[in-house]
Amino acid sequence: MNANFYEPRYNKEGKIVALADVDVGDGIIVKGFRVIRGEKGLFASVPTKSFAAEGRTRFMPQVVFTHPDLRTRFLESLLDAYRQWSEGRVPAAASDASHPPADELVE
């Protein structure tokens, strides 16, 4: 797996600790995977799109896996890649690194 991780631009004190763009092969890059610090530790999630239904905000996954085991293996390998990235990185504030434009709106 080839993943490009970066810190979120906004709400740096929130639960999202990193965003990732993943090259899934054949020149296809999926943007917006998230690494989140939850009550039970770190976990990865697929990009989602929000929508309103019955007066409530709902979220629909933008990446669908054909089998639950495939989803589990993919997200676990994404977490492993995040751990390797986080061990060797310099914090953005210290390096003045710029973020890729992946979390900007695309028209």
Side-chain angles (χ1 to χ4, degrees):
M1 171 184 303
N2 186 11
N4 181 31
F5 292 94
Y6 50 96
E7 294 177 343
R9 286 187 184 189
Y10 308 101
N11 196 12
K12 293 184 181 192
E13 301 302 318
K15 292 183 177 185
I16 298 175
V17 296
L19 299 168
D21 301 336
V22 178
D23 183 344
V24 294
D26 293 331
I28 300 170
I29 297 174
V30 180
K31 295 178 171 278
F33 285 89
R34 295 178 308 274
V35 177
I36 300 169
R37 186 175 317 283
E39 292 177 8
K40 297 180 182 179
L42 289 177
F43 66 95
S45 71
V46 299
T48 58
K49 178 143 178 88
S50 63
F51 64 97
E54 300 175 4
R56 296 177 55 193
T57 301
R58 307 280 182 160
F59 297 91
M60 181 173 21
Q62 297 299 290
V63 176
V64 179
F65 297 89
T66 56
H67 196 275
D69 289 342
L70 177 60
R71 180 183 190 277
T72 299
R73 288 193 316 267
F74 183 89
L75 293 177
E76 282 298 323
S77 71
L78 186 63
L79 273 180
D80 290 342
Y82 166 76
R83 289 181 183 109
Q84 289 178 356
W85 173 79
S86 66
E87 289 173 2
R89 72 183 173 98
V90 176
S95 68
D96 289 331
S98 62
H99 295 282
D103 60 346
E104 294 178 357
L105 293 176
V106 177
E107 294 185 39

